[in-house]
């Protein structure tokens, strides 16, 4: 039986993208690879909403390595404010505590988000070099109002850094217009490519800071070491620092080609429709969503709270029905997560709610059986 992957990453990958990685005898100096890498760097600017003033980076790793590479912009004793809405926002603190910087963390109640007013109030209390934000918190599905926060604190801190691992490619991202210095993501989520790549864009201000020799960063994740490779490759000339994941980058290039073909605005709208349809179905069943405030609902992740049934039992049953969801990772909730990002379609929303309905009824979770799929169909029939 074919499986529908509605996990929070990796996500379903289109066949054309998978096939792009099957080409044999391709070295990192091969023209086909250099062309794919150069195209991908330009594609990254496109999804991040930045001009050539911003420098893109595509390096081996994932979301966490992209986060840790941000230490390239810090020096001994710098103060960092971490704005965290959950498990992956907390990861910033875990990373920075390994380095000689001072870290302060702002947290909301579970399922909520730190408000722009709270962030603005905190940055006025101290001289922070950097503020880190998480656009969509993967553990809760909570979306932070990045644009509003950036507007409030832009002139009060040197560097604004955004983790867009679960947002880029599915949520509105206009890093340059909003004044964000670093926007980062990974290849395996809303971009719909295989796992294995860290992706970042840096503002002119961030590039100035990167030139400092006082950086506390190590060697492999030091963006200063990767910068000449990015600039040379974008110009069509291969350059070596460390062997890149050749075939994954070729697959990423195909993903960017398909994203451009769809159009980023259309892609964001599609994600919004699918996400809204799924949440409409969940709420029609009488189930609670982890994100407490509707304005913070994301286009990519929905956490579903259970009253009776163990989430692990739900996941094992639904995978037998042909749909794979994600386990919950936030300790405050008894829940599972639906990932709706990448190449998801409205039909996937119907399948997801149908499988959840049948499974929960069979396992004894109190729901309004039959109302979920009906609500999704009604929503989709009027969605544009």
């Amino acid at each position: 039986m074919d499986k529908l992957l509605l996990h929070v990453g990796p996500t379903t990958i289109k066949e054309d993208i998978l096939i792009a990685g099957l080409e044999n005898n391709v070295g990192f100096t091969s023209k086909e690879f250099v062309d794919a890498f150069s195209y991908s760097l330009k594609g990254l600017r496109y999804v991040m909403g930045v001009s050539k003033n911003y420098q893109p980076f595509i390096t081996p790793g994932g979301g966490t390595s992209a986060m840790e590479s941000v230490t390239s912009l810090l020096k001994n004793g710098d103060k960092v404010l971490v704005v965290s809405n959950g498990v992956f926002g907390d990861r910033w603190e875990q990373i920075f505590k390994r380095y000689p910087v001072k870290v302060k963390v702002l947290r909301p109640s579970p399922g909520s988000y730190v408000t722009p007013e709270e962030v603005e109030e905190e940055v006025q209390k101290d001289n922070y070099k950097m503020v880190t934000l998480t656009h969509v918190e993967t553990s809760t599905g909570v979306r932070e109002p990045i644009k509003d926060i950036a507007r409030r604190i832009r002139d009060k801190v040197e560097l604004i850094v955004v983790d867009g691992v679960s947002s880029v490619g599915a949520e509105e991202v206009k890093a340059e217009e909003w004044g964000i210095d670093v926007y980062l993501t990974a290849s395996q989520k809303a971009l719909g490519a295989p796992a294995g790549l860290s992706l970042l864009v840096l503002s002119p201000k961030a590039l100035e800071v990167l030139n400092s020799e006082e950086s506390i960063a190590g060697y492999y994740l030091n963006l200063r070491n990767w910068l000449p490779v990015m600039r040379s490759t974008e110009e069509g000339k291969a350059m070596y620092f460390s062997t890149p994941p050749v075939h994954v980058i070729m697959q990423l290039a195909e993903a960017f080609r398909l994203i451009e073909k769809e159009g980023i605005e259309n892609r964001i709208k599609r994600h919004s429709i699918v996400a809204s349809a799924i949440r409409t179905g969940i709420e029609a069943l009488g189930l609670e969503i982890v994100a407490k405030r509707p304005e913070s609902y994301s286009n990519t992740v929905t956490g579903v709270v259970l009253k009776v049934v163990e989430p692990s039992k739900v996941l094992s049953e639904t995978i037998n029905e042909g749909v794979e969801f994600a386990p919950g990772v936030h300790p405050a909730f008894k829940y599972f997560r639906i990932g709706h990002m990448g190449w998801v379609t409205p039909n996937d929303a119907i399948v997801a709610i149908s499988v959840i309905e049948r499974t929960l009824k069979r396992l004894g979770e109190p729901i309004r059986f039959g109302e979920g799929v009906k609500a999704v169909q009604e929503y989709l029939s009027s969605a544009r």
Side-chain angles (χ1 to χ4, degrees):
M1 177 171 58
D2 290 338
K3 182 174 67 176
L4 175 60
L5 185 61
L6 293 177
H7 206 285
V8 297
T11 58
T12 298
I13 303 169
K14 278 186 174 290
E15 286 186 359
D16 285 353
I17 295 170
L18 292 172
I19 291 169
L22 295 179
E23 192 167 349
N24 200 6
N25 301 320
V26 179
F28 72 86
T29 61
S30 302
K31 184 180 186 304
E32 55 265 54
F33 170 67
V34 174
D35 288 348
F37 203 160
S38 177
Y39 180 78
S40 296
L41 291 167
K42 296 178 177 68
L44 182 55
R45 284 201 189 93
Y46 174 65
V47 298
M48 292 290 192
V50 299
S51 69
K52 289 185 177 180
N53 292 329
Y54 275 62
Q55 176 61 52
F57 288 80
I58 300 175
T59 62
T64 302
S65 55
M67 293 167 72
E68 188 156 359
S69 70
V70 170
T71 58
S72 305
L73 305 175
L74 295 171
K75 63 180 187 299
N76 196 324
D78 280 341
K79 294 180 180 180
V80 180
L81 176 64
V82 171
V83 179
S84 174
N85 295 327
V87 172
F88 294 98
D90 287 350
R91 185 163 291 187
W92 282 113
E93 180 186 21
Q94 295 160 9
I95 289 169
F96 290 135
K97 282 192 171 181
R98 306 294 297 177
Y99 294 85
V101 295
K102 299 174 183 177
V103 186
K104 172 73 180 288
V105 184
L106 287 183
R107 293 185 180 91
S109 60
S112 190
Y113 64 94
V114 181
T115 67
E117 293 80 7
E118 290 170 325
V119 180
E120 182 179 25
E121 181 180 351
E122 178 58 38
V123 297
Q124 291 173 329
K125 294 178 181 178
D126 211 336
N127 184 29
Y128 290 104
K129 168 73 170 291
M130 177 184 291
V131 174
T132 68
L133 305 161
T134 306
H135 195 170
V136 173
E137 170 54 55
T138 315
S139 69
T140 61
V142 168
R143 179 176 60 199
E144 185 77 36
I146 298 298
K147 179 180 178 181
D148 192 9
I149 292 176
R151 178 180 59 81
R152 289 170 177 267
I153 69 171
R154 177 62 282 175
D155 296 331
K156 301 178 177 67
V157 296
E158 186 171 352
L159 297 171
I160 302 174
V161 176
V162 178
D163 165 3
V165 169
S166 284
S167 68
V168 174
E171 299 278 1
E172 181 184 48
V173 174
K174 295 185 177 179
E176 187 165 13
E177 179 181 316
W178 298 346
I180 308 299
D181 296 295
V182 181
Y183 232 108
L184 63 90
T185 192
S187 53
Q188 78 278 11
K189 291 187 179 268
L191 296 181
L197 295 171
S198 305
L199 303 97
L200 312 87
V201 292
L202 269 63
S203 71
K205 181 188 293 185
L207 286 172
E208 285 181 21
V209 176
L210 185 64
N211 284 328
S212 171
E213 295 184 0
E214 299 178 357
S215 169
I216 59 173
Y219 183 69
Y220 190 70
L221 294 179
N222 192 330
L223 294 176
R224 192 175 181 188
N225 291 330
W226 289 98
L227 180 59
V229 178
M230 301 303 128
R231 287 177 167 168
S232 179
T233 303
E234 188 171 4
E235 293 173 359
K237 296 174 286 186
M239 187 174 182
Y240 179 81
F241 168 60
S242 177
T243 304
V246 171
H247 293 85
V248 182
I249 289 175
M250 294 180 74
Q251 290 170 319
L252 178 68
E254 179 63 14
F256 278 133
R257 186 188 71 80
L258 294 174
I259 289 169
E260 248 186 287
K261 182 179 179 181
E262 180 179 19
I264 192 64
E265 292 82 9
N266 293 332
R267 189 177 184 84
I268 293 167
K269 183 178 181 180
R270 171 170 58 79
H271 277 84
S272 177
I273 289 172
V274 174
S276 297
I278 286 175
R279 280 191 291 268
T280 296
I282 292 298
E283 290 171 339
L285 290 173
L287 296 170
E288 181 184 342
I289 290 171
V290 169
K292 302 300 182 187
R293 299 162 70 172
E295 74 271 16
S296 72
Y297 288 169
S298 76
N299 286 349
T300 55
V301 181
T302 297
V304 182
V305 180
L306 299 172
K307 297 176 182 177
V308 176
V309 180
E310 287 302 316
S312 60
K313 185 66 174 174
V314 173
L315 295 180
S316 64
E317 290 285 322
T318 55
I319 203 166
N320 287 335
E321 294 267 2
V323 183
E324 182 177 347
F325 300 111
V329 294
H330 197 295
F333 303 98
K334 178 181 177 180
Y335 76 118
F336 69 95
R337 292 174 294 166
I338 306 171
H340 32 81
M341 62 181 108
W343 307 105
V344 291
T345 71
N347 288 336
D348 294 336
I350 297 171
V351 173
I353 297 302
S354 174
V355 168
I356 290 170
E357 265 193 294
R358 294 197 306 272
T359 300
L360 293 183
K361 182 177 188 293
R362 188 165 60 245
L363 294 176
E365 182 75 16
I367 60 170
R368 294 192 286 265
F369 185 70
E371 294 299 316
V373 172
K374 178 183 176 183
V376 174
Q377 291 280 46
E378 289 177 347
Y379 174 83
L380 292 175
S381 70
S382 60
R384 293 288 185 272

